[in-house]
Every structure is written in C-alpha cells, then in structure tokens.
Amino acid sequence: MASPRGLPISSFIVLTLFTFLPNPATSLRTSFIKLPGSDGSLRSSAADTYCESWRLAAETNNAGTWDVIPSTCVDSVAGYLNGDQYGSDYGVIADYALAFAKTVQVSGDGKDAWIFDIDETLLTNLDYYKAHGYGSEPFESNSFNEWVVGGTAPAFEASLRLYNALKELGFTIVLLTGRDEHQRSVTETNLRDAGYSGWERLLLRGPEDQGKSATKYKSEQRSKLIEEGFKIRGNTGDQWSDLLGFAVADRSFKVPNPMYYIP
C-alpha cells in the first residue's frame, strides 16, 4: 500500500512522527503542560506531609525525647497553631474528657479529684512561643519566667469550658504545675484573670522538687493526694510527663502541644 504522494508507508509514518514531536529547543524553554512539582510544590508538599507525620509521632509519644521542633517544620507548626485545627483538636479532647466525667459516680465527699496542668493546658503561652520560633529555639528559662511574671497568658476556650463543667459535676479541681512556688501569686492572678476559679489546690515545685524530672515530681504529688484519700478520676495535660509515672488517674487526656517536650 502506498501513502499520499507515493511515499512508502514506513517513510510516511516516520515523517508523521517527526511532525508531531516537540522541538527539543522549544521544550527546554517552554513547558506547555506543567508537571507536578515543577514549580517546587512537590518539595513543599513533601515537607508538609513529613511535618504532619512528625507532629503525630510527637503527640503520641513515639518521637521520644526531643529538644526543638525540626527546622523544616516551623511553618507547618505555625500554621497548625494559628489555624482552626489546633482549637478543633483541643475541643474534641475536651468533649471526650467531659463525656467520661459524666460516667463517674461522684461521691460528694470532695475526694473525687480532677487534675489539670497549667501551661499549654489551662493557659496558652502561644504569644511567647510565636516570638521564639514556635519551639524551634532552645528553651530559655529566664525569658519564659519574665513572660510568666507578666501574667497575661489567656485561657484555652475548650479547657475553660471543661474546667467549669467538671466543677458543676462536683469534681474537686487540683492544679499541678511545673512552675515554681515563688510564682504562686502571679499564677493565681493570671488564672483568675483568664476566668478560672474555685480550685481546691495549686501545687507548685518547692525547693525539694528542684532537679526532679516532671514525671517523678508530678507522680509524687499525685501519690500524696491519694494518701490523703483523694481518688484521681481524671487528669488533663499537654505533656506525657503530666500523665504518666505512678499514681495515675483513672483516665488521662493528652491535649496537643507540638512546641516542646518535657520529660
């Protein structure tokens, strides 16, 4: 069979293919079809995916001990903390905690206790960490203590809602924080200004607690409460060291905090 103009069929096919093949010089300069990642989005997407996975590992205590967030994840963590997801995650956990609390038979003797941590649990220090790289900078105690003394940390809306609901259910509220005893007055004032009231105890680190890990210190404080006859029904904190160890609560609720880790 002959092709138009009498060319052999094989020559016609080759000629046709060359007609539709792009000019190499043109294809190097101009991309008519934008391939995935050709504008750098693939790299950004991969980083975002990794950072979400890292945050999950950190929240579930699978990342182990870590000092600062990965440098590639600063924007991801900032986006999470300043976006809607952070508040939504907090709200869902508060809802689960309250649902559990409603199943507890509160005795009415004042011994059914619910423990709260303070920083990143009742009060948010996000404004401080915004100025310090969202946890990408090593913790500096002097500057953080200056922030604490300022006493301007606001409440988490979900935590305040949970806190007040637990009081209405008859739980005795105990606040157990890693802050030092000399910060008692400013801490109490900040809590009240943020809307909290009616706690039974505010437990802070004394001189004898300096140098102890948070897990050991908080376990010891919970143990003392149990020795006094308290039944620790629930515990809410942003660190695993708020919740683990010995003398643990019947149920513990970990709220999100991708900015720092305290062993």
Side-chain angles (χ1 to χ4, degrees):
M1 178 179 174
S3 62
R5 301 188 182 182
L7 288 173
I9 185 64
S10 59
S11 299
F12 174 72
I13 292 173
V14 170
L15 180 61
T16 302
L17 286 172
F18 273 102
T19 301
F20 290 100
L21 283 174
N23 185 319
T26 302
S27 64
L28 288 173
R29 293 176 174 80
T30 306
S31 177
F32 296 102
I33 302 175
K34 187 161 289 189
L35 298 175
S38 61
D39 58 355
S41 61
L42 185 61
R43 181 182 301 175
S44 175
S45 176
D48 289 344
T49 299
Y50 165 76
C51 291
E52 289 185 12
S53 298
W54 172 84
R55 183 160 52 81
L56 175 63
E59 292 294 355
T60 54
N61 209 23
N62 288 317
T65 301
W66 50 276
D67 297 320
V68 295
I69 68 173
S71 58
T72 56
C73 296
V74 174
D75 289 344
S76 176
V77 170
Y80 170 71
L81 294 170
N82 292 307
D84 294 334
Q85 192 64 53
Y86 185 37
S88 176
D89 291 349
Y90 235 97
V92 167
I93 294 166
D95 289 342
Y96 277 120
L98 183 55
F100 164 73
K102 290 178 178 178
T103 69
V104 175
Q105 297 296 316
V106 178
S107 62
D109 61 0
K111 295 298 185 179
D112 294 288
W114 195 290
I115 296 176
F116 282 96
D117 173 55
I118 292 180
D119 293 300
E120 269 57 68
T121 300
L122 294 182
L123 300 177
T124 171
N125 301 300
L126 182 56
D127 286 342
Y128 171 83
Y129 284 99
K130 281 181 181 179
H132 293 83
Y134 293 95
S136 62
E137 300 176 9
F139 179 72
E140 210 289 305
S141 60
N142 290 333
S143 63
F144 183 74
N145 287 336
E146 290 176 4
W147 161 263
V148 169
V149 169
T152 58
F156 282 100
E157 181 181 343
S159 286
L160 183 58
R161 171 170 55 83
L162 173 62
Y163 181 99
N164 288 329
L166 292 172
K167 286 198 305 179
E168 291 180 6
L169 289 171
F171 287 92
T172 295
I173 305 297
V174 176
L175 310 184
L176 177 53
T177 175
R179 293 186 179 192
D180 290 338
E181 181 61 42
H182 72 268
Q183 297 172 322
R184 177 177 294 275
S185 178
V186 68
T187 299
E188 290 176 338
T189 299
N190 194 163
L191 286 165
R192 292 191 180 100
D193 289 346
Y196 296 101
S197 63
W199 57 83
E200 175 69 19
R201 303 270 183 95
L202 171 57
L203 303 174
L204 303 100
R205 280 184 186 261
E208 70 280 5
D209 299 313
Q210 301 304 315
K212 294 178 181 178
S213 70
T215 303
K216 178 177 174 60
Y217 156 66
K218 293 198 170 187
S219 293
E220 290 176 349
Q221 296 300 315
R222 292 194 302 267
S223 183
K224 291 176 183 178
L225 291 171
I226 292 174
E227 289 172 1
E228 292 181 38
F230 285 98
K231 300 176 288 291
I232 304 176
R233 300 303 196 182
N235 187 4
T236 304
D238 67 291
Q239 298 291 315
W240 286 103
S241 54
D242 297 331
L243 313 173
L244 300 179
F246 54 91
V248 298
D250 292 345
R251 282 286 305 274
S252 295
F253 296 87
K254 167 75 168 64
V255 293
N257 179 4
M259 296 183 292
Y260 58 84
Y261 176 89
I262 299 175

